[in-house]
Structures are given as structure tokens and as C-alpha cells.
Amino acid sequence: MTDSVILDVWCELQCPDCHRALDDVRALRARYGDRLDIRLRHFPLEKHRHAFAAAQAAEEAAEQGRAWPYVEAVLARTAELGERGEAVLLDVARELGLDAEEFDTALIDGRHILIVDADQAEGKAIGVSGTPTYVIGGERLDGGKSQEGLRARIEEIADRLLSADGA
């Protein structure tokens, strides 16, 4: 018996659709709190040339204890990230009071590449083809085409799983 349900959010930080999906993620977090373990999974798309660096930067933010605030701040600036590149990643780190020099070093030494690569490989293996994509209770929900009705579907699955577990 578990007391929380895992929701994997396959995301890429230069993706405008992922930015739009943040409202759903925030609403889910508000509704379920600790009963829903929302995990960021990386799926950088080739069409966005700064997405891979952004995924690594998000891992550095996680290491420094600020994963979601960092992800939300970068997603709020997808257009700027596209224009200015990695400088935006360091700006956001500074604005959140994180160690921007450590971010810079992490991007240079590639210490988080394996995590990003593993997420991407797992995503491909389970059929993720775009972002955002959600996986909960073994069900994959593709938000890349439309966010319409997805939050309700996630809530439906989460409620079912949580009541089945007696949580």
C-alpha cells in the first residue's frame, strides 16, 4: 500500500506547450499535495537547441533544492531562452538565489547528461513523442496536441489509485 501516486511529467523547458501546462501542474499540486508525487522527466526535443542544456540546468536546480521553482521560471521565458540561450539559464539561477557558477560548471562538465539521456531513452521506450506527456498509473496522456481535458483525466486516475490504496 502506498500513500502517494506518481505522476511523471515528460517536459522540455523550451516548449511553449509545457509552459501552458504549468497551470494544470500547479492545480494538481494544490489539490493533492504530498499524495501526488509529481516527477519532472526530461524529453528535450531536437527542434529546440537549448532544451538539452535547460534539462541539465533543471537537474542542477534539483541538486540545489529548487527544481520546480527553477523549471517554472525557465518555462516562463521559453521565447527568451530560444533567443539568448544558456545565458537565460544562468540568469534564472541567479534570480532564484542559486549558485549560478555551479550551474555554469555543471553545463560545461556535463555532470547531469546521464540523467537527461536516461529520461529521454525511457520516454522513447514508452512512446513519448512530444511534450508535455503525462504518465500516471501506467497510462500515457499526450498533452502535446491539446491540454483539453487532461487535468480532469489525471485527477480521475489519481482519485481511483488513491482510493484503491486507501490513502
Side-chain angles (χ1 to χ4, degrees):
M1 187 166 98
T2 59
D3 54 357
S4 70
V5 170
I6 293 170
L7 171 65
D8 281 334
V9 181
W10 299 87
C11 179
E12 83 111 92
L13 300 189
Q14 202 179 332
C15 169
D17 291 332
C18 289
H19 178 232
R20 284 190 285 280
L22 272 181
D23 286 341
D24 286 340
V25 171
R26 286 186 191 112
L28 290 164
R29 193 180 288 133
R31 176 173 174 171
Y32 293 100
D34 292 342
R35 295 179 312 142
L36 187 65
D37 182 9
I38 301 174
R39 298 191 312 192
L40 175 69
R41 304 301 299 273
H42 302 290
F43 202 78
L45 303 170
E46 283 180 24
K47 66 181 177 182
H48 294 135
R49 63 190 182 121
H50 303 295
F52 194 78
Q56 293 176 69
E59 283 301 315
E60 182 56 35
E63 198 120 312
Q64 294 188 31
R66 301 291 306 274
W68 280 105
Y70 185 83
V71 164
E72 292 189 18
V74 172
L75 281 172
R77 296 160 77 165
T78 54
E80 188 185 351
L81 178 59
E83 292 161 20
R84 292 185 49 230
E86 293 180 16
V88 173
L89 303 174
L90 301 177
D91 288 350
V92 170
R94 276 186 212 96
E95 288 160 18
L96 291 174
L98 299 171
D99 184 342
E101 278 182 35
E102 202 55 40
F103 272 76
D104 198 30
T105 304
L107 291 172
I108 292 165
D109 71 19
R111 68 182 74 157
H112 302 299
I113 286 176
L114 289 177
I115 294 170
V116 177
D117 282 347
D119 273 4
Q120 198 163 31
E122 185 182 332
K124 285 178 180 165
I126 63 167
V128 174
S129 58
T131 56
T133 296
Y134 307 91
V135 177
I136 181 170
E139 191 168 332
R140 191 180 77 234
L141 305 166
D142 181 2
K145 294 174 186 66
S146 168
Q147 302 288 317
E148 199 62 41
L150 280 187
R151 183 165 84 206
R153 183 74 187 113
I154 291 168
E155 289 173 348
E156 192 181 297
I157 295 167
D159 289 345
R160 186 184 72 231
L161 293 170
L162 287 166
S163 66
D165 286 341

